[in-house]
Amino acid sequence: MFDQRFGTRAIHAGQRPDPTTGAIMTPVYLTSTFVQNSPGVVKDGYDYARSKNPTRAALEANLAALEGGRFGLCFSSGLGAMDCVLHQLREGDHIVLSDDVYGGSFRLVDKVYRHHGIACTRVDMTDLGQVKAAFRPETRLVWLETPSNPMLKVIDIKAVRGLVDEFAATITPSGATDATLGPLGTPLQRPLLVVDNTFASPYLQSPLSLGADIVLHSCTKYIGGHSDLVAGALITRDEPLAERLRYVQNAVGAVPGALDCFLMLRSTKTLHVRMQRHCENALRIARWLEVHPKIERVIYPGLPSHPQHELARRQMCGGFGGMISCVVKGGLEASRAVLERVHLFSLAESLGGVESLIEHPAIMTHASLPADARRTLGIDDGLIRLSVGIEDVEDLIGDLEKALG
Ligand SMILES: *Cc1c(COP(=O)(O)O)cnc(C)c1O
């Protein structure tokens, strides 16, 4: 399967005509249970749909192929997927997290898992020295998001992998194995590197080939692509790790329903085509905004003015994504006016759908961050974030032109 190119994998991987009827599309298996011929004798591992469902299995194989991984696992949300990874840790473990991760990801680590005795250090991972300085003997997880949200910082995945390996060589894995705990009874022997690939999508960036142990997606965004579902996924190449993740996926039970899996399978078939248009449109709009007199600064990895533009060119292929952040001159009042005057862009949180969205991070998506943390990250009151859709770009530019007045 891996010798096929992305668009071919997107349409075919994990799927074959239904063996009973020849239906070309994977059926939606709306069933909670599967009949057994003799107690405990089950067909292809299908006994109960939390554990395994054929529509979900097709989607999991499809996503694994798109990320160049061997194992895919789907969840009922992106945070449900993250929770599955965090459950691999135990009390006393430590996480190094990139500083402007998705707010909900930070909340899960900083509120829920801190409550369970797991510590975390946030660093600006565009500065590798900060990553190195954050490691502790108990560090067992390094978590990064690139491009980040909303500052679109680009982090060098390969370089962070190098630092994690150097650090791993200096630690002695500790903690006794407790076989009564099943797969979780063995402590993690080395720190895991997890990359949240939601903003880039598997079409633009392949973290597993750059050294990530696990890739995470909020499928709610580009993978779903039509703003009609909430879901998440993990992909890995590491079989023992996949077994641990699979164990928690089933034990905790945050799995998506078959209808949502069907919608995602339909969506991944057009992922490459959608991403091409998202990237084309966003690049045109970013260039247009950059010379607009009412705009102070545009942040887009595809612009030479972006601080990590050269890294983005190496690390992402085929484009720089559909997300743009920019600072409107005149602070809160001016940016609020723009957000109230747009017609085609919808004022809403979330991203990655075919329709264009616009939002105000300081008031909306990143309001839960303390004001000084927002300031340190550069999320000021004039900052707006655009999720550029796949409409005709001239109409999108026309809408922004009017709104900027
Ligand atoms: C939305 C998002 C998440 C959380 O995913 P949900 O599907 O909303 O649970 C995680 N990471 C990033 C980068 C996101 O944009």
Side-chain angles (χ1 to χ4, degrees):
M1 218 48 180
F2 295 123
D3 50 358
Q4 293 182 340
R5 288 168 183 79
F6 192 94
T8 310
R9 277 180 276 150
I11 291 165
H12 296 288
Q15 295 153 88
R16 61 198 162 95
D18 178 45
T20 53
T21 63
I24 193 162
M25 288 302 148
T26 306
V28 190
Y29 284 90
L30 289 173
T31 186
S32 59
T33 191
F34 302 86
V35 176
Q36 307 182 11
N37 286 330
S38 173
V41 180
V42 302
K43 200 173 177 320
D44 296 333
Y46 292 111
D47 54 5
Y48 184 63
R50 170 167 27 77
S51 315
K52 199 175 174 192
N53 170 287
T55 316
R56 192 178 96 212
L59 173 65
E60 290 179 332
N62 183 256
L63 292 177
L66 292 185
E67 280 291 357
R70 292 173 57 210
F71 309 96
L73 299 96
C74 289
F75 297 85
S76 52
S77 72
L79 291 181
M82 182 180 196
D83 184 62
C84 180
V85 177
L86 295 175
H87 270 304
Q88 305 303 320
L89 303 176
R90 47 173 72 183
E91 189 177 356
D93 285 349
H94 171 251
I95 305 169
V96 178
L97 192 67
S98 58
D99 60 359
D100 62 345
V101 289
Y102 177 74
S105 304
F106 179 62
R107 181 177 55 203
L108 184 53
V109 168
D110 182 57
K111 297 289 187 283
V112 180
Y113 279 86
R114 187 156 58 89
H115 166 69
H116 290 305
I118 291 169
C120 144
T121 305
R122 290 165 83 198
V123 294
D124 178 356
M125 291 200 186
T126 59
D127 176 357
L128 296 172
Q130 288 193 29
V131 179
K132 223 168 156 170
F135 290 133
R136 293 192 207 160
E138 320 78 66
T139 304
R140 289 295 175 276
L141 184 62
V142 177
W143 190 284
L144 66 88
E145 213 176 287
T146 178
S148 70
N149 176 16
M151 300 312 290
L152 302 171
K153 288 199 263 193
V154 179
I155 297 166
D156 190 335
I157 300 169
K158 217 179 195 168
V160 173
R161 173 80 256 171
L163 293 180
V164 172
D165 286 342
E166 267 173 40
F167 162 70
T170 69
I171 56 170
T172 357
S174 59
T177 296
D178 179 353
T180 66
L181 283 174
L184 296 183
T186 312
L188 290 175
Q189 297 299 301
R190 58 189 173 86
L192 298 175
L193 174 61
V194 184
V195 174
D196 181 335
N197 204 24
T198 300
F199 267 42
S201 89
Y203 178 70
L204 298 177
Q205 184 168 272
S206 304
L208 294 178
S209 67
L210 298 168
D213 294 299
I214 302 172
V215 169
L216 173 137
H217 280 283
S218 167
C219 302
T220 314
K221 318 296 166 52
Y222 288 105
I223 293 201
H226 297 72
S227 307
D228 52 8
L229 59 89
V230 173
L234 299 175
I235 300 101
T236 184
R237 289 176 174 172
D238 178 332
E239 189 160 11
L241 183 56
E243 271 168 29
R244 293 177 68 122
L245 296 168
R246 187 73 72 194
Y247 183 82
V248 172
Q249 180 196 38
N250 181 54
V252 173
V255 292
L259 271 174
D260 282 350
C261 293
F262 172 82
L263 284 174
M264 283 184 267
L265 271 176
R266 163 177 268 222
S267 293
T268 54
K269 289 184 172 57
T270 56
L271 181 63
H272 52 304
V273 184
R274 285 186 283 115
M275 290 314 298
Q276 285 161 11
R277 181 65 88 86
H278 282 294
C279 292
E280 265 173 48
N281 282 1
L283 185 60
R284 275 277 302 277
I285 292 174
R287 285 179 175 151
W288 179 82
L289 285 170
E290 201 169 39
V291 294
H292 196 284
K294 297 267 176 72
I295 297 293
E296 194 172 300
R297 178 181 168 214
V298 181
I299 307 163
Y300 183 67
L303 294 176
S305 59
H306 188 283
Q308 293 96 34
H309 176 62
E310 283 309 316
L311 169 61
R313 289 173 66 109
R314 279 203 310 279
Q315 185 163 276
M316 302 173 77
C317 63
F320 303 93
M323 301 301 295
I324 302 173
S325 289
C326 66
V327 179
V328 180
K329 286 180 187 168
L332 182 59
E333 227 163 288
S335 58
R336 189 193 292 277
V338 173
L339 296 176
E340 284 171 355
R341 274 192 240 132
V342 286
H343 287 297
L344 199 45
F345 277 83
S346 298
L347 178 56
E349 300 192 2
S350 200
L351 60 114
V354 289
E355 71 293 321
S356 293
L357 303 180
I358 194 164
E359 67 113 4
H360 193 280
I363 298 176
M364 296 167 67
T365 47
H366 292 69
S368 62
L369 282 182
D372 58 331
R374 283 204 302 268
R375 218 165 305 121
T376 315
L377 291 172
I379 306 174
D380 68 43
D381 288 347
L383 188 80
I384 58 177
R385 190 192 76 182
L386 280 62
S387 170
V388 178
I390 64 171
E391 300 94 335
D392 281 292
V393 70
E394 288 77 10
D395 293 328
L396 295 174
I397 289 177
D399 192 41
L400 292 172
E401 174 106 75
K402 268 195 228 122
L404 283 163

